[in-house]
Amino acid sequence: MRYGIISDIHANLEALEAALKRLRGVDAYICLGDIIGYGPDPGECIEVVKALPGLRCVIGNHDLACVGKYDVNWFNWYARDAIAWTQERLTAADRGYLLSLPLMDMENSLTLVHGSLPQPMDYVTSAADARGVFAEMITPVCLIGHTHVSEHYAHTHGAAHVTHRSLKRGGTVKLDRGLSYIVNCGSVGQPRDGNPLASFGLYDTARREVKIMRVEYAVERVREKMEEVNLPALLGERLALGR
Ligand code: ZN
């Protein structure tokens, strides 16, 4: 079985299409949330994601905020601006779809959550955070998003030592049988690991590996669209920098 793994699309249709082009032919898709918020194409991105074959999708904090289920005071001003703009553009069907998504899910020995365990909207940014997730996991692999940073953590069950590896230039995570893994395939539509290329993954169960891929997309076109609808310029600048 081959799964396409996408996360943190943030209404960036150009990046989403570039990622899906590369993943074409996979058996099923996994989405780790934040389909919308920040970018200029929320409705279009929801349409594309919900039509993906065999999709398992969990909800992210921006998705929740856009349907009024997450306190926007957690966000900085430009994220709040983009959320208010997005809220006005969602249809009842868009809202209904987002509200149907679970906070956590499981698929084929994978735990799926936007940010962390046990709190789905916490961030995993250190080995200490990862240790907290490993303590909660009942599957060998947990897939997360949320930080927009491509990386993975591994540990032997019951051991305190956690290893970490950055995947910001892409790479392959080989899944050893005796170890547990937390894998973040990065952000499709707003990478923040210093690499502006769209980031996503491919999990091959037969090969027992997750491959992280980075692809170019039309960043300038997305920035133009953001300017046309008066989304904060800072959000477009971040896309070009990958920060
Ligand atoms: Zn996000």
Side-chain angles (χ1 to χ4, degrees), residues 1-228:
M1 187 93 176
R2 292 162 79 238
Y3 292 93
I5 304 164
I6 55 175
S7 187
D8 296 277
I9 297 147
H10 286 291
N12 183 335
L13 185 63
E14 278 70 14
L16 176 61
E17 285 175 338
L20 294 179
K21 194 172 165 192
R22 183 65 79 84
L23 291 171
R24 194 170 291 155
V26 297
D27 302 299
Y29 286 87
I30 288 166
C31 174
L32 299 157
D34 279 2
I35 302 170
I36 59 171
Y38 295 139
D41 289 309
E44 291 79 355
C45 287
I46 292 173
E47 283 306 308
V48 170
V49 169
K50 77 179 185 189
L52 292 172
L55 177 72
R56 288 267 184 180
C57 184
V58 293
I59 196 161
N61 54 327
H62 285 254
D63 304 321
L64 277 172
C66 290
V67 291
K69 299 279 183 193
Y70 196 79
D71 185 357
V72 291
N73 291 314
W74 285 102
F75 296 99
N76 51 39
W77 68 268
Y78 47 88
R80 280 204 298 269
D81 256 25
I83 285 163
W85 180 89
T86 306
Q87 281 172 335
E88 285 170 26
R89 276 148 191 90
L90 293 183
T91 64
D94 293 336
R95 279 192 293 274
Y97 177 69
L98 295 174
L99 287 166
S100 76
L101 299 174
L103 282 166
M104 207 196 99
D105 207 350
M106 280 187 201
E107 165 81 11
N108 211 344
S109 305
L110 301 169
T111 298
L112 316 176
V113 68
H114 182 59
S116 182
L117 294 173
Q119 297 298 327
M121 301 310 165
D122 280 355
Y123 291 86
V124 174
T125 59
S126 66
D129 296 338
R131 228 169 267 132
V133 178
F134 283 125
E136 297 287 328
M137 283 165 58
I138 56 167
T139 60
V141 181
C142 180
L143 298 179
I144 60 170
H146 200 26
T147 60
H148 300 206
V149 172
S150 198
E151 59 188 357
H152 84 89
Y153 296 90
H155 96 147
T156 317
H157 190 72
H161 185 67
V162 170
T163 59
H164 167 259
R165 186 174 137 223
S166 165
L167 295 161
K168 74 174 188 178
R169 287 186 182 80
T172 300
V173 185
K174 288 271 180 198
L175 304 173
D176 285 341
R177 282 182 198 279
L179 301 182
S180 298
Y181 295 86
I182 300 166
V183 183
N184 190 328
C185 296
S187 167
V188 170
Q190 213 193 74
R192 284 182 203 152
D193 49 13
N195 179 349
L197 304 181
S199 189
F200 52 95
L202 176 70
Y203 172 39
D204 188 321
T205 57
R207 298 171 73 107
R208 297 186 59 82
E209 64 181 37
V210 182
K211 192 174 167 191
I212 310 296
M213 289 175 273
R214 310 289 302 234
V215 293
E216 262 182 57
Y217 71 95
V219 177
E220 282 313 308
R221 177 69 197 118
V222 182
R223 291 183 69 176
E224 281 164 23
K225 283 190 191 176
M226 291 169 96
E227 240 171 70
E228 281 161 23

